Amino acid sequence: QQQVKQSPQSLIVQKGGISIINCAYENTAFDYFPWYQQFPGKGPALLIAIRPDVSEKKEGRFTISFNKSAKQFSLHIMDSQPGDSATYFCAASGSNYKLTFGKGTLLTVNP
Amino acid sequence: ETGVTQTPRHLVMGMTNKKSLKCEQHLGHNAMYWYKQSAKKPLELMFVYNFKEQTENNSVPSRFSPECPNSSHLFLHLHTLQPEDSALYLCASSQGFMAYNEQFFGPGTRLTVL
């Protein structure tokens, strides 16, 4: 029940396209859903996060869509750029400090 | 130095060696974390310190021993490791002790156990 399942494992997108990464969870106590971005040689960095009281959150080209009934959430990257090439991790947490992470998606944006 | 720094960045050790990983945060945070990142696996939380007090030991083998002398420094002491312990070890810090308190990660130490 603590797992967060992330797909796809890898994704190749052309410059200007839309990148979509999906995550699903089982634990209904989860109430915080962040996405982290990790470049090679760097640690993960918080990209965007959402709470279940909203269905969508947008920050620039990055949007989280949240479906509480389906227990799914996704990251959309609009107008994908080569500089967006990185590994993306979804995560979820309940009312404590523990983040349960997905396995990650390696995104490659071709010029 | 800014953010979260980790030393060394790369470490190769034999199974009988003893070594230590160091983490320092320059953000004035009060919580620090050790994570293990292995290929094709989710990040695994190993240890958590809140105001220098250990509040989590996530069933980590005793060959990993953390130390937090103050809220800015965190160490991970390693001894008699196994090849399966080879991974990227990440340190993180946060101001506040809830998941919604953003965790800032260091660049990690790439550990190889021969």
Side-chain angles (χ1 to χ4, degrees):
Chain A
Q1 233 194 359
Q2 292 299 316
Q3 277 189 325
V4 175
K5 296 183 179 179
Q6 183 172 347
S7 63
Q9 187 174 319
S10 62
L11 179 62
I12 299 174
V13 174
Q14 291 300 118
K15 178 182 175 182
I18 301 173
S19 304
I20 301 175
I21 305 170
N22 301 298
C23 285
Y25 63 97
E26 291 293 326
N27 189 344
T28 55
F30 286 154
D31 64 357
Y32 175 70
F33 303 89
W35 285 88
Y36 279 80
Q37 179 188 54
Q38 184 176 23
F39 293 104
K42 304 286 187 182
L46 180 66
L47 183 63
I48 186 173
I50 197 169
R51 295 260 196 183
D53 52 344
V54 296
S55 60
E56 186 175 283
K57 183 174 181 180
K58 184 176 181 180
E59 291 185 3
R61 296 183 294 107
F62 300 90
T63 299
I64 300 179
S65 297
F66 184 80
N67 186 329
K68 188 174 182 178
S69 60
K71 291 186 284 187
Q72 295 175 348
F73 58 109
S74 60
L75 177 69
H76 292 64
I77 306 174
M78 311 299 289
D79 187 26
S80 299
Q81 299 296 313
D84 296 330
S85 298
T87 300
Y88 293 81
F89 296 92
C90 63
S93 177
S95 302
N96 57 37
Y97 55 85
K98 288 188 181 181
L99 285 169
T100 300
F101 285 88
K103 292 185 178 181
T105 296
L106 177 62
L107 171 65
T108 302
V109 181
N110 288 328
Chain B
E1 294 280 13
T2 59
V4 180
T5 57
Q6 291 187 242
T7 54
R9 294 293 309 275
H10 300 272
L11 178 62
V12 179
M13 59 186 291
M15 293 170 61
T16 58
N17 291 157
K18 289 184 180 182
K19 296 286 185 182
S20 295
L21 310 185
K22 178 183 176 182
C23 174
E24 183 174 2
Q25 60 95 359
H26 309 267
L27 301 168
H29 290 168
N30 55 19
M32 297 188 77
Y33 312 75
W34 278 118
Y35 286 88
K36 177 182 179 182
Q37 185 175 32
S38 304
K40 306 288 174 63
K41 284 187 168 184
L43 270 73
E44 299 173 53
L45 179 63
M46 300 175 70
F47 300 104
V48 182
Y49 279 83
N50 184 27
F51 290 104
K52 301 189 302 175
E53 298 296 320
Q54 184 176 317
T55 58
E56 176 79 16
N57 176 349
N58 203 19
S59 302
V60 178
S62 59
R63 57 186 183 269
F64 295 92
S65 175
E67 178 190 0
C68 188
N70 55 61
S71 58
S72 296
H73 294 86
L74 186 63
F75 295 89
L76 187 62
H77 304 299
L78 317 171
H79 64 98
T80 59
L81 294 192
Q82 305 298 311
E84 60 264 29
D85 297 323
S86 298
L88 182 68
Y89 289 85
L90 292 162
C91 173
S93 70
S94 65
Q95 180 57 31
F97 199 48
M98 298 298 289
Y100 55 75
N101 298 127
E102 181 179 353
Q103 293 183 25
F104 291 79
F105 286 82
T109 295
R110 174 68 62 185
L111 174 67
T112 303
V113 181
L114 301 176

